[in-house]
Amino acid sequence: NYEPRQPDEGVNPSDTMAVVVDEKHSTGGLSANARRRQENYAKSIVVRRRHNTILRKVAEWLETTLGASHMIRDQPLWKWEWTDGLDPKRLKRKMRAPDMCCILGNSTLAIVEVTVCGTKSADAVRKEKVGKYSDLSSILQQAPNVLASPELKTVAEPFILVMEESGEVPPETQADLEALALLVEPHDEAKAKAMALKIAYQMSQMGEKLA
């Protein structure tokens, strides 16, 4: 029942589909720039569709396999129940809206960001996302609703799940999936690793089919 995200804000479909006649550089009535905009827009739609599919799978894994509770999906950070009472300006910086957060192991607030690579490398995308969300853990640790919660004991560093355009799941993403499973199975590393390997394989299979 999850609602997929729409294409990123700032992308105007009418701009990307505009026909620009340029006799010197055009082919079939479209200028090189217009064709490039069309191609980039079409690719962004494909990447977004793949992202939404993988995101739904990860959310399902978190809830059904890891027993996640208090799931928040596709909401700006400043609208989260946990951020009530914090400075909205600080939360809106960089237009931050992690894909989801939930409680795992009945005591840890986990922030999860899912990203499918487009034109950038997995390493570059991961570095960008880590920088974007690096301070969220410390911010949320001081949030009134987090401090007042009888069940929450800690806020984990954000989990950045990056997947290659080809469908490949990088080692860093595999490690974050295992870290998520360990929040639920802290005393059984073998079980946590098996759960992480299973979802990584499923993500990879889905990514390859959508590539």
Side-chain angles (χ1 to χ4, degrees), residues 54 58 61-62 66 112-117 121-127 129-130 158-165 167-182 192-193 195-204:
I54 299 300
V58 173
W61 177 70
L62 289 170
L66 301 190
V112 181
E113 173 73 2
V114 176
T115 301
V116 177
C117 295
S121 69
D123 287 342
V125 171
R126 184 178 181 83
K127 184 176 181 180
K129 294 291 184 177
V130 168
F159 298 91
I160 310 298
L161 308 181
V162 178
M163 193 172 76
E164 298 275 11
E165 186 177 8
E168 180 183 351
V169 176
E172 294 82 2
T173 295
Q174 176 67 47
D176 268 8
L177 289 169
E178 189 172 337
L180 282 164
L182 280 169
K193 186 171 185 177
M195 291 191 293
L197 283 171
K198 184 175 181 179
I199 184 62
Y201 175 76
Q202 293 172 340
M203 289 168 62
S204 178

Side-chain angles (χ1 to χ4, degrees), residues 2 56-69 71 102-106 177-178 180-186 190-200 202:
Y2 295 129
R56 285 193 293 270
K57 189 64 182 178
V58 173
E60 177 187 333
W61 177 70
L62 289 170
E63 291 187 308
T64 61
T65 302
L66 301 190
S69 63
M71 176 73 76
C102 58
I103 295 178
L104 289 173
N106 298 318
L177 289 169
E178 189 172 337
L180 282 164
L182 280 169
L183 292 176
V184 178
E185 297 289 348
K191 185 175 181 179
K193 186 171 185 177
M195 291 191 293
L197 283 171
K198 184 175 181 179
I199 184 62
Q202 293 172 340

Side-chain angles (χ1 to χ4, degrees), residues 3 39 67 110 131 142 170 174:
E3 290 295 328
E39 291 168 0
Q142 304 304 315
Q174 176 67 47

